[in-house]
Amino acid sequence: MPENPNSKIQNIEPNLVSGLALWQWREQAQQQAIASQVPIVEIDWLLQEISDIDRLSLRLESFKDRDFISLQIPFVELACLWEQRIRDRRPIQYLVGRTPWRNLLLQVSPAVLIPRPETELLIDLAIAAIENHPDLQQGHWADLGTGSGAIALGLANALPYAVIHAVDVSADALAIAQQNAEFLGWSDRIQFYQGSWFEPLGHLRGELCGMVSNPPYIPSALITDLQPEVARHEPHLALDGGEDGLDAIRLLVAIAPRYLRSGGIWLIEMMAGQAQPVVNLLKSNGRYQNIQVYKDLAGIDRFVLAHRIA
Ligand code: GLN
């Protein structure tokens, strides 16, 4: 039997691996990724998270020549993690425990939805909408259904004079959001509340400059058709929008006018096909104006922004 180049090292220090053994593991992981239609870049993402190997030495494969590479986890555990990615379709972001989002690095766990690239645009839309309204840049803003805290943190970053209020019904999600705020040093910029939508914000009636939300919007019957990464691992609480997907959005349309000040911003993310029903809900409510639909980078109608009538 050929000698396992790693066996001697493993006996001494399970977190040390030879460059050659790691290269061999990567080759095999890449084959599995291709066969299972998992993006192969995720292997290098994982390797960069658990070692000091940089992108260039991954690309040139020069790490192969190193005698020892120190991992943050035992080598055998790396294989177990990758097994979960391939066999259980566990998202890479949950395996590494964090994800980049806008200019931030956010901790995530299965208690929170993994912040998506398209959701990054919500912050840009909010910034653009208040560009010529200095009064809206400094007051109270709410992120309803904050999850990992991504939107609240994006707003805190973009609006240095605003106070952000982040609400989630899940205590586990809120704990992640608070850790993210602490890690970024913005705990004093964001107030966290456990509760349902506007419920904990009674003290802010008529005061909000803006309400931003990425609510659950997938129709219940479609959840099982989503990618297995989403359907099996992400919290259904953050995805399931009821029979037509619009339960949460209907509530936000109905309640927000009591909380927004005149001219205040109402801004949400939604799924393909929901633009017209959401616009209709806002119009028939009668307390919104300048209702606009915006596309995401894939060209899908993804966001609706409106102002509370003055
Ligand atoms: N964009 C998410 C998805 O595609 C859904 C997020 C949500 O329901 N708010 O799975």
Side-chain angles (χ1 to χ4, degrees), residues 16-63:
L16 281 186
V17 60
S18 72
L20 182 62
L22 196 60
W23 178 83
Q24 284 167 342
W25 176 83
R26 180 174 178 255
E27 289 286 299
Q28 184 209 324
Q30 287 179 341
Q31 293 311 318
Q32 289 175 316
I34 292 163
S36 319
Q37 295 183 322
V38 165
I40 62 170
V41 291
E42 293 188 6
I43 299 160
D44 289 355
W45 179 347
L46 187 53
L47 287 174
Q48 286 175 89
E49 287 285 339
I50 61 150
S51 74
D52 65 353
I53 311 176
D54 61 24
R55 267 164 63 175
L56 186 64
S57 61
L58 284 164
R59 189 151 64 82
L60 301 177
E61 303 192 350
S62 54
F63 68 95

Side-chain angles (χ1 to χ4, degrees), residues 113 116 118 214-218 226 230 238-239 269:
L113 197 76
R116 309 281 202 265
E118 58 267 30
N214 174 16
Y217 53 63
I218 313 275
L226 299 173
V230 181
L239 296 166
E269 181 179 313

Side-chain angles (χ1 to χ4, degrees), residues 1-305:
M1 235 170 78
E3 201 190 344
N4 175 353
N6 207 47
S7 59
K8 285 203 194 90
I9 303 169
Q10 289 274 297
N11 290 339
I12 307 162
E13 172 49 84
N15 289 18
L16 281 186
V17 60
S18 72
L20 182 62
L22 196 60
W23 178 83
Q24 284 167 342
W25 176 83
R26 180 174 178 255
E27 289 286 299
Q28 184 209 324
Q30 287 179 341
Q31 293 311 318
Q32 289 175 316
I34 292 163
S36 319
Q37 295 183 322
V38 165
I40 62 170
V41 291
E42 293 188 6
I43 299 160
D44 289 355
W45 179 347
L46 187 53
L47 287 174
Q48 286 175 89
E49 287 285 339
I50 61 150
S51 74
D52 65 353
I53 311 176
D54 61 24
R55 267 164 63 175
L56 186 64
S57 61
L58 284 164
R59 189 151 64 82
L60 301 177
E61 303 192 350
S62 54
F63 68 95
K64 183 181 171 184
D65 303 325
R66 284 171 59 180
D67 290 338
F68 301 112
I69 293 170
S70 173
L71 306 178
Q72 286 165 20
I73 56 174
F75 185 40
V76 287
E77 211 173 289
L78 170 63
C80 290
L81 284 181
W82 190 246
E83 178 86 7
Q84 289 180 44
R85 178 72 192 94
I86 297 290
R87 197 195 48 211
D88 305 337
R89 312 298 294 193
R90 192 175 293 278
I92 186 78
Q93 294 90 339
Y94 289 154
L95 293 176
V96 303
R98 54 188 194 169
T99 190
W101 191 80
R102 286 180 72 85
N103 56 336
L104 312 172
L105 194 55
L106 301 177
Q107 293 182 54
V108 293
S109 83
V112 301
L113 197 76
I114 298 163
R116 309 281 202 265
E118 58 267 30
T119 308
E120 297 185 358
L121 280 177
L122 270 177
I123 307 299
D124 298 302
L125 290 172
I127 296 169
I130 59 171
E131 208 183 348
N132 300 317
H133 300 274
D135 51 317
L136 296 180
Q137 295 167 14
Q138 359 198 324
H140 298 282
W141 282 73
D143 170 15
L144 303 182
T146 194
S148 63
I151 294 171
L153 294 159
L155 289 172
N157 193 201
L159 308 176
Y161 302 108
V163 180
I164 317 297
H165 303 268
V167 179
D168 207 289
V169 75
S170 155
D172 292 340
L174 220 49
I176 298 282
Q178 280 174 298
Q179 278 173 40
N180 278 321
E182 269 161 42
F183 183 74
L184 289 161
W186 295 339
S187 295
D188 56 338
R189 302 277 325 281
I190 306 176
Q191 291 172 27
F192 293 93
Y193 309 79
Q194 189 187 354
S196 178
W197 308 114
F198 287 100
E199 199 184 71
L201 302 183
H203 57 298
L204 295 171
R205 275 176 184 250
E207 297 281 330
L208 286 183
C209 297
M211 176 225 86
V212 186
S213 181
N214 174 16
Y217 53 63
I218 313 275
S220 308
L222 297 186
I223 301 269
T224 49
D225 298 343
L226 299 173
Q227 286 172 287
E229 281 80 356
V230 181
R232 283 198 227 152
H233 297 286
E234 297 205 78
H236 287 198
L237 187 63
L239 296 166
D240 191 339
E243 197 174 340
D244 62 356
L246 295 171
D247 283 0
I249 294 176
R250 260 189 296 272
L251 183 144
L252 296 176
V253 171
I255 312 287
R258 290 181 222 156
Y259 288 82
L260 289 172
R261 62 153 100 160
S262 60
I265 306 287
W266 186 94
L267 173 59
I268 58 119
E269 181 179 313
M270 65 193 170
M271 76 179 242
Q274 291 177 336
Q276 203 51 56
V278 173
V279 168
N280 290 345
L281 285 169
L282 288 162
K283 280 189 181 156
S284 60
N285 178 282
R287 281 168 291 177
Y288 297 93
Q289 62 187 4
N290 306 334
I291 302 166
Q292 307 263 7
V293 176
Y294 293 92
K295 293 184 190 306
D296 64 17
L297 295 176
I300 296 168
D301 284 342
R302 177 66 71 189
F303 313 101
V304 178
L305 190 152

